[in-house]
Amino acid sequence: MRIQISWKKGKVFGVLNDTPTAKTLFNALPCSSSANTWGEEVYFGVPVRAELESNAQEVVPPGTICFWVQGQSLALPFGPTPVSQGDECRLVTKVNVLGQLEGDPRVLQSIRDGDDLRIEAAEASPPL
């Protein structure tokens, strides 16, 4: 399952894992939202409800596609947040890990609070 997240200044693609929350998100697409930033993390509401999964994590690699259960939001960390220790990507609570962004996640730096975001299904990536 491949997705595209686009905003005025750019876009990024991601690949979702085969998890219950990832499937629920994919089935809710397309949707639009307004961006929030928190340190080097972008998060935004999506029309999805889910329970915390058994493999939920609080510290993830940059570019991980996360679902913040309490905030009903996708969270896309690309660097340290206000609760990080050092350079880690630490979220405010444990999150469901949905997948990984393709390419350099620092492209998310161009997103500002209030930017309009669109999340939609994308075609599978072309073979190399």
Side-chain angles (χ1 to χ4, degrees):
M1 297 178 290
R2 191 164 182 250
I3 61 171
Q4 175 182 299
I5 302 167
S6 53
W7 61 99
K8 186 176 181 178
K9 293 184 178 180
K11 67 181 172 183
V12 67
F13 292 90
V15 177
L16 299 178
N17 300 330
D18 187 14
T19 68
T21 307
K23 290 176 186 176
T24 300
L25 171 67
F26 195 77
N27 290 333
L29 300 179
C31 63
S32 296
S33 193
S34 181
N36 299 285
T37 59
W38 188 58
E40 294 186 8
E41 175 189 318
V42 174
Y43 68 97
F44 47 92
V46 290
V48 170
R49 290 186 184 272
E51 298 294 323
L52 208 57
E53 294 176 0
S54 61
N55 64 341
Q57 298 175 26
E58 194 171 349
V59 177
V60 298
T64 300
I65 302 169
C66 306
F67 183 74
W68 178 32
V69 172
Q70 292 90 331
Q72 294 180 304
S73 299
L74 278 189
L76 307 172
F78 56 93
T81 67
V83 294
S84 292
Q85 298 172 13
D87 292 337
E88 69 184 7
C89 295
R90 181 180 295 269
L91 295 108
V92 69
T93 62
K94 284 188 174 184
V95 295
N96 292 343
V97 173
L98 304 188
Q100 186 69 34
L101 296 176
E102 298 174 347
D104 186 355
R106 299 195 74 74
V107 68
L108 298 171
Q109 287 178 311
S110 68
I111 298 175
R112 299 290 174 253
D113 279 328
D115 281 357
D116 292 327
L117 300 173
R118 179 162 174 81
I119 308 96
E120 58 196 326
E123 292 186 24
S125 46
L128 298 174

